[in-house]
Amino acid sequence: MPHARPQKNLISVQTLLIAASFALALTLGSTVLVLGYTGANNGLRAALEEQFDTLGMMIQERARRLVEPVQSQLSILIYDQITVASDLSTRLSRLPVLAEALKNNPTIRNIYVGYVNGEFFLAKKIDNDELRSLFQLDKTTSFLVQSITIDVNGNRVGEYRLYDENLRLQAVKVKSDYTYDPRDRSWFQASEGKSGSVTSAPYAFFTTDKIGVTISQRSVNASAVVGFDATIGQLAAEVKSLQLSSDSEIAITESDGTLIAHPDLTQIARRADSGKIVRQNISGLESPILSKAAVEMGLSGSYKHGVIESEGREWVVSSRPLDFGMGAEARLLLAVPADNLFASTRQIIRDQSIVILIILCLSIPFGIFIIRQITKPLSQLSKDVQKLASFDFTQPVSVGSRVREASELADTIDRLRVTVSRFLEINRTIAAEEDFNTLLVKLLDEIIATTETQAGVLYLTDNEETALVPFVSRIDSEQTLDISIPSVPLSLDEALVVRVAENKNAENAKASSEELERMGLETFGTVLDVTPSHLLAAPLFNRSNELVGVILLFEETNIDPALVRFTEALSGSAAVSVEARRLIAAQRDLFESFIQLIAGAIDAKSPYTGGHCARVPELTKLLAKAANEADEGPFKDFNLSRDNWEAIHVASWLHDCGKITTPEFIVDKATKLETLYDRIHEIRMRVEVMKREAEIRFLRSALSAAGVTCDDMALHEELSQLDDDFAFIAKLNQGGEYLDESKQDRMNTIAQKTWTRTLDDRIGISHEELERKNKIVAPKLPVKEPLLADRLEHIFERPESEKLPEGNPWGFKMDVPELLYNRGEIHNLSIQRGTLTPEDRYKINEHIVQTIKMLDNLPFPKHLRMVPELAGGHHEKMDGTGYPKRLMREEMSPVARMMAVADIFEALTAIDRPYKKGKMLSESIKILSFMVDNQHIDPDIFRLFLESKAYLVYAQEYMSPDQIDEVQISDYLP
């Protein structure tokens, strides 16, 4: 803690305070005027800002009242029959509903429906001469229906229908040029993929030059999109009515400054020389103040206000965002001249300032008198407080003064010294203890010692929060009481510990037999040296104000009220400690559940992994325990702390978490041609086609020689050969035998046989597959194709994101195949052993890459930061030929080498894999010995595995009894 530097030329407090009194009289006189004037101005500005805020909310609310009825009407129409009507007559039958909506809402100009097949239906309200002139209509026409339908020939037919006020049809006009597709419109496309309504940015309507928005929403059955055109011109009138004064300025704009509303409608939109209506920007307003405010304050972000000078005049301006559901972000700008705002208050402030100055001058003598009465004992108290500031709580605080306040202050500081000292001691105890149960015992001991009471009981709430369960009972000698204490139901309102929980305050009560009996403590006094006469109970509430427990203290004398308050303060610290440790335990339990959830999901994802993720941790811990207990040999200095054990536990459970990204069809690939399904079925169908083609050729030959008996021996021979060829290919597909050169040659010969395809293989397929097929020009049908082939469509390029360049941040050193997948039929059938191509094999091995990446991205605490290294090293080999980092033995931690042995041994002995039987115990040990010879696993770990009998403990727990045979470990030990 830094020490205060010594000061020179010090003066007494009395002299300083007297001098300060005169200085105060002089400074207050000059500052009160300034502060009063500034404060009044600030108050007025604050009032104006509040009025600005009220105006903003009023405008926003009024704007919503204009828009929300439109959205409400829209939410009803998306359920209407018109959205599923497939013909024009049905749609016209719904015209009364649309007409009623147009009549009842003056904001709505058009209601229209676009259908997913490209048809369109629109109802327009004709209520002004501009529209009648535009569409050449007479005064009796009140509604115009525009429709686009598709006839039986697929042609688009556009029609206009005119209706009077009573919806009587006046005329039908065929519009050959009215054929647009609503699906190409932005309102249709924006709503098609969303369930809610979509509102466009404000724009000028083409037909009326009015400013408005388009609101659209997909129908509930997704067969159509319903849209409304709504005007917002009425908003300008609302804005004009809210001007604060005749010379104040107000406007609503978009984020780019385009005007939405202004008291002067002529400044919102103007007709350009081309005849097109152009919306105006705020920079074009006749008054420059709003334009300047927009530049200096911006038209984005949160609420802003300030004072801006324009043309020699100060203005109080405000800029705030508005949200009234019109798609684009809107902004409200307000400006009021400052001289109009503050002129009336200046004279009042001057008069008040003079009165205040006189009062301050008269108060100076009284201040001097009071100062002289309190300065004498401060010197001694200053020294004592400096000791407390240095955390020296050993000496009591006292002063030799007859001033009552000074003496009481000294006593208060001394009590503060004792209290802080006790609190610090309890905090040191809480901070030093990691075990939750031990912490609670120490906490109760410290509270008993600090409060100097006889004994205490700590109750905690049960999991159901229905009762208080005694956790520990202690006496002042830090001993546990040998007595049975029952739980207290929280429904027992008469019990002291329940009362304090309900009242949320500590309570002092006499230790009467009735009070003790209610809590089941009638025999408690018999185990104490002196029978207690009073009880003190304090509830423990966490930061969420939830009850976590109650502390009950026993005292042989009457309890001081100060002790009650002190105990309440202690209970708050204790409650926070209990809550924090409970949260830590709950977080660890939750983290553990997530770990086992991920591991269980990986094991459940494929039967080829079985319970691997659950068994490897057990075997790894057996090896780690054996190494930790070793007194000699290479592991004599190997010691694991509690944090190390936790890291091993987490790493071993998550060692294969990357497998969650490995495709199942790769992990479970049982044949060479299998992807998401076994493509041998396609080849079987091609052979069937070839057999039918051979039979057809034979029958055609027989028909051409009508009346001549044909020998069908050649047909039978060809069909028999095709059957044999398919059987050969099917056997190759299983991958059970080595593919030698002769088999490769026969497969190549069979692959050249052709079959006739008459159907287009580029229809009915996914977009991605079509792109691969389109790399070559489609042949003219019918076309003869080989029975087996490697095609461009079988090639899947590896994206850049899945490549591992040299110097990658994880240190991976793996040979990455050029292709992501190669599904060529000849390529896959040419696999010499097994069913996996190099691309498939890499995809499986890549799980460890994903494991390390996933774990590296987790924010592990300090003691778990070794988890990625431990979990990611179980496929490394001692000679540096493993993956993914090609680490040498000395670059790997002992635990990572242990996990490698555990991973291999579990895979060898597992009995829940569908593709193999679990190996015998002796055979598995022998295979591990070969891997030691080949420098694949650590010889020291292997020796520890045998000498500690870890292999046998694991076998008896997880292997089938008929797998466990005798193992002569002497054959493998030097």
Side-chain angles (χ1 to χ4, degrees), residues 327-608:
E329 180 182 350
R331 200 81 182 176
L332 172 65
L333 294 175
L334 294 167
V336 178
D339 50 5
N340 291 352
L341 183 64
F342 304 124
S344 60
T345 62
R346 292 174 179 171
Q347 184 60 42
I348 297 175
I349 293 174
R350 292 193 193 98
D351 296 340
Q352 291 177 345
S353 300
I354 294 174
V355 174
I356 293 173
L357 184 61
I358 294 174
I359 294 174
L360 288 176
C361 291
L362 295 175
S363 301
I364 292 176
F366 295 99
I368 295 174
F369 176 77
I370 294 173
I371 289 171
R372 288 175 176 172
Q373 304 302 313
I374 63 176
T375 55
K376 186 176 181 180
L378 292 181
S379 177
Q380 181 62 39
L381 285 177
S382 175
K383 295 178 182 179
D384 292 335
V385 171
Q386 286 178 2
K387 292 181 180 179
L388 298 183
S390 301
F391 285 83
D392 180 5
F393 302 102
T394 57
Q395 299 296 325
V397 177
S398 61
V399 292
S401 172
R402 298 184 62 83
V403 177
R404 183 180 63 185
E405 288 78 5
S407 179
E408 290 176 350
L409 177 60
D411 293 339
T412 301
I413 294 176
D414 190 59
R415 289 197 298 271
L416 176 64
R417 175 188 65 84
V418 175
T419 302
V420 172
S421 177
R422 289 173 175 176
F423 265 107
L424 291 177
E425 184 61 32
I426 292 176
N427 287 334
R428 280 193 292 268
T429 301
I430 293 174
E433 184 55 54
E434 295 183 0
D435 182 72
F436 180 62
N437 294 338
T438 306
L439 169 68
L440 295 179
V441 174
K442 289 187 176 181
L443 188 62
L444 182 59
D445 286 340
E446 290 293 336
I447 291 176
I448 293 173
T450 302
T451 56
E452 299 179 353
T453 49
Q454 285 180 277
V457 179
L458 174 61
Y459 292 89
L460 298 179
T461 55
D462 60 4
N463 293 332
E464 292 76 22
E465 298 183 355
T466 59
L468 291 170
V469 180
F471 179 80
V472 64
S473 58
R474 305 279 282 183
I475 58 177
D476 55 3
S477 58
E478 297 187 359
Q479 295 179 1
T480 301
L481 291 174
D482 186 14
I483 183 174
S484 176
I485 301 176
S487 300
V488 181
L490 287 172
S491 58
L492 188 60
D493 297 336
E494 300 84 2
L496 175 62
V497 290
V498 177
R499 290 203 307 271
V500 297
E502 293 176 347
N503 298 332
K504 299 184 178 181
N505 291 309
E507 183 177 337
N508 175 20
K510 290 186 177 182
S512 63
S513 57
E514 294 83 1
E515 192 72 69
L516 293 173
E517 187 175 350
R518 293 188 192 106
M519 296 180 288
L521 300 174
E522 56 272 12
T523 61
F524 195 88
T526 61
V527 299
L528 300 177
D529 295 336
V530 179
T531 302
S533 63
H534 284 79
L535 303 173
L536 174 58
L540 305 179
F541 288 95
N542 62 20
R543 285 166 288 189
S544 301
N545 204 29
E546 297 171 341
L547 181 69
V548 296
V550 173
I551 295 175
L552 180 63
L553 301 176
F554 298 82
E555 179 58 17
E556 59 187 75
T557 60
N558 190 24
I559 296 178
D560 191 323
L563 180 59
V564 176
R565 293 190 295 272
F566 181 62
T567 305
E568 282 185 328
L570 284 178
S571 67
S573 177
V576 171
S577 175
V578 171
E579 179 196 25
R581 296 310 171 105
R582 275 186 169 178
L583 286 175
I584 292 172
Q587 286 177 345
R588 288 191 174 181
D589 291 342
L590 180 61
F591 183 48
E592 175 67 17
S593 298
F594 271 117
I595 291 173
Q596 298 194 21
L597 178 69
I598 293 171
I602 294 169
D603 282 347
K605 180 180 178 183
S606 170
Y608 283 71

Side-chain angles (χ1 to χ4, degrees), residues 43-174:
L44 290 172
R45 286 174 181 167
L48 183 62
E49 290 167 11
E50 184 176 352
Q51 191 171 9
F52 281 175
D53 191 55
T54 303
L55 288 176
M57 289 189 290
M58 292 174 62
I59 291 175
Q60 182 165 292
E61 179 60 27
R62 294 184 184 184
R64 286 189 178 274
R65 290 178 182 177
L66 296 176
V67 175
E68 287 181 351
V70 179
Q71 293 177 330
S72 175
Q73 189 69 47
L74 179 61
S75 65
I76 295 173
L77 283 182
I78 61 174
Y79 291 88
D80 195 84
Q81 183 182 357
I82 195 171
T83 62
V84 295
S86 59
D87 57 271
L88 183 58
S89 61
T90 305
R91 296 167 188 166
L92 288 171
S93 69
R94 306 305 296 164
L95 181 58
V97 176
L98 305 185
E100 192 65 25
L102 290 169
K103 288 179 182 178
N104 294 336
N105 196 325
T107 305
I108 303 175
R109 302 305 308 170
N110 306 317
I111 301 177
Y112 42 86
V113 182
Y115 297 89
V116 294
N117 64 350
E119 294 186 339
F120 183 70
F121 187 87
L122 177 145
K124 180 186 296 291
K125 177 166 55 180
I126 307 298
D127 57 358
N128 59 66
D129 292 335
E130 289 181 329
L131 288 175
R132 293 188 175 93
S133 175
L134 177 66
F135 291 97
Q136 299 179 359
L137 306 175
D138 58 37
K139 292 186 177 182
T140 62
T141 301
S142 296
F143 297 97
L144 171 62
V145 174
Q146 302 169 217
S147 63
I148 298 175
T149 57
I150 301 175
D151 62 17
V152 293
N153 297 321
N155 298 320
R156 307 182 72 80
V157 179
E159 294 179 330
Y160 282 5
R161 283 176 169 77
L162 311 181
Y163 293 87
D164 63 11
E165 185 177 5
N166 297 318
L167 297 182
R168 286 191 292 265
L169 180 64
Q170 295 178 321
V172 178
K173 299 180 181 181
V174 177

Side-chain angles (χ1 to χ4, degrees), residues 181-201:
D181 192 335
R183 296 172 297 186
D184 298 332
R185 292 300 191 261
S186 59
W187 58 267
F188 189 101
Q189 296 171 352
S191 299
E192 192 173 22
K194 295 183 179 179
S195 59
S197 63
V198 178
T199 304
S200 71

Side-chain angles (χ1 to χ4, degrees), residues 814 845-848 872 875-877 881-886:
M814 297 178 67
N845 292 346
E846 191 188 24
H847 80 273
I848 196 64
H875 287 298
E876 301 288 356
K877 298 178 181 178
T881 60
Y883 66 91
K885 298 183 180 181
R886 297 179 182 173

